[in-house]
Amino acid sequence: MLAPSYQKLKDILSVSIDPKRILTNPLQTLAYGTDASFYRLIPKIVILAHNETEVIEIIKQAKLLDIALTFRAAGTSLSGQAITDSVLVVATHGWKNQELFDNNQKIKLEPGIIGARANIFLAPHGLKIGPDPASIGACMIGGIVANNASGMCCGTAQNSYQTIADIRIVLHDGTILDTADAQSITAFKKNQTALIQEIESLRDEIKGNETLYNQIKNKFKIKNTTGYSINALVDYQEPIDIIKHLMVGSEGTLAFISNVTFKTVIDEKYKSCSLIFFNTIQDACNATILLKSSPVAAVELLDRESIRSVENDDDAPDYFKTLPESACALLVECRDNDLVVLKQKQEQIRLQIQSIPTYTEYKFTSDPKQYYFNWKARKGLLPTVGGLRKNGTTVIIEDVAFPLPQLADACLELKDLFKKFEYHDAVLFGHALEGNLHFVFSQDFSNQAEVDRYEKLMSELAVLVVDRFNGSLKAEHGTGRNMAPFVEKEWGSTAYEIMKRIKNIFDPNNKINPDVLINPDPKAHLKNLKPLPECNDIVDKCMECGFCEPHCVSEGLTLSPRQRIVIAREISRLEETNDDLQRLADIRKDVTYQLDETCATDGLCALACPVHIDTGKFVKTWRANELNSGNKKVAAYIGSHMAGTTSIVRTGLKIVSFFHAILGTTIMTALSNVSHFITFGKIPKWIPEMPKGADKINTKN
């Protein structure tokens, strides 16, 4: 039962939005309300918005009713930016338009386009978008911009902030600003004078405060996505340019992004990489410093634990298993449109690091199989490590950045920190060239002692990163719920007040994705933790990353593989705890159609999953378990009398074909509906409504 204000919102919006896209049943709100993070909030309403007009109406009506909104695209967010216990607006289907223009120098993209799809569109032109996160095959443009995604080969020079050309946004009151449209800018400046003045005031205040100005400049010399992109107030003078860049990395807390225009970048034709092993992590970091001035496209660090997580892969070399515990690898990439120049770059790289001994000989490869494995080992580390964790635990990933000269010391101290709190499965990897490290480990949140252990780790991590190395607590994944309590710790009170003012300028009522990025609760990162109960051996290793979703034929019709697992886990939890029998009954009411009947069980999800989870296989197991004893007996009889069964079915199909020839398709569909109604008491959801006049026999058929 919805609260009155939410019911009123649903009733009002159902006039202009298809009620089938306004979801309130427990199964769908849980399924759509889940992201890749270790947090869980269940929305009261999920709205599948298909265009900007619908979003504007949602924003206006929610504002009148004082209801909070959260906007989401793919939901691959790792830090809880895409969840809510209020209203979730999903902008995926219907948001797929793209336009290449300005002599191919710019591409306009809507938020529901997967990053890799944008690159496929650009590939024939030898181009790509700048950001290249490891999740680019699943994450969407909306999240790429909202989290200021960067990645492995773009560094800071080609991240979302640096390559954005224009943006179209909808503010908290329904106002539109399109920075590519001169008329829109003129109207915005005329109608939003107070907002413009506030932006100008912030800009001037920062530029008049030498200490703060220099702090911002220095903080963004390395990767930094902690808090808002207040470097926009330093980098730009014109308020519209400032607003445009403030939206990047704002995590949906300032406005809704209708589309974004990126400056395209060159995608070099020839690529090669080498996995170079060093004796120690110090040697690898020292080599990275030297490589900073060489013609590399990427330098990715993988510590010994990272290599261990992939050493059993079928394509992994045997020597992976014999590497010493101190070993560390750098995955080095170089690219060019000229094959001769590419070879020259490889030689330059060799010369650059020849003073540092390597554990093994190395060579650069363009062989597709070896090249693919090297990058698969790196890109799949998060879910691969997650797949190795103990059942019932969640996987945590955070990303920090350090000044490059201090990277080696920072790595060692991070490892010591994990040992101190007994996170023995923790792995370090990341974009070494930018001093950007990711760390992944498993965490049990099932008891208070474990939660307390995590709290102590995070507290000491903040001290290590900020006080010891003057680094960034978030480097590219966005602040999210996990780091929101530490934003002031990193930036200090003066800069933090600037960020709070930015939030208030664009969202004065704190109703646009509240409590993300700016959160006064010092323990917010310890609340609303996602349960991961054991469900079935086939799917228990799923970390709900969402990599499977673009490959699922039923995604958008009913549920994706990730969502099926989410629902199955919740049923297992409710059956185990018996604490909400009504909720269990409500979910079970829809589960057969949503989870079972519409799954193609084709295994495509397993091909996309880094830990090869075949949700289709799980659904087949689910079906078998759901069969009652009578059905099992029937199935057993049919299985042992296949010849007779086949004969009966063949005769039946001939009869159906005979009547189909006489009555036509329309009447047969209508009869099917009636038959299903008589048998089951309802028309099946997958059969369309009978068209007008369908009750009249079409003699032409």
Side-chain angles (χ1 to χ4, degrees), residues 328-381:
C328 184
L330 292 180
L331 175 57
V332 179
E333 168 104 347
C334 57
R335 302 175 171 184
D336 204 275
N337 278 325
D338 187 313
L339 196 54
V340 174
V341 176
L342 180 70
K343 299 291 185 182
Q344 293 172 349
K345 287 183 176 180
Q346 294 173 4
E347 187 57 30
Q348 286 178 262
I349 291 169
R350 283 187 176 277
L351 292 173
Q352 196 75 23
I353 61 172
Q354 64 180 344
S355 62
I356 300 177
T358 57
Y359 179 76
T360 58
E361 292 294 322
Y362 65 93
K363 64 178 181 179
F364 284 86
T365 181
S366 297
D367 174 70
K369 183 178 180 180
Q370 186 60 49
Y371 181 92
Y372 173 75
F373 169 76
N374 287 349
W375 277 108
K376 182 181 73 169
R378 164 58 188 90
K379 291 182 178 181
L381 270 175

Side-chain angles (χ1 to χ4, degrees), residues 556-573:
L557 170 66
T558 52
L559 301 179
S560 68
R562 167 170 67 173
Q563 292 171 332
R564 287 185 168 89
I565 294 170
V566 167
I567 296 305
R569 281 173 166 167
E570 180 68 353
I571 289 174
S572 294
R573 186 188 71 82

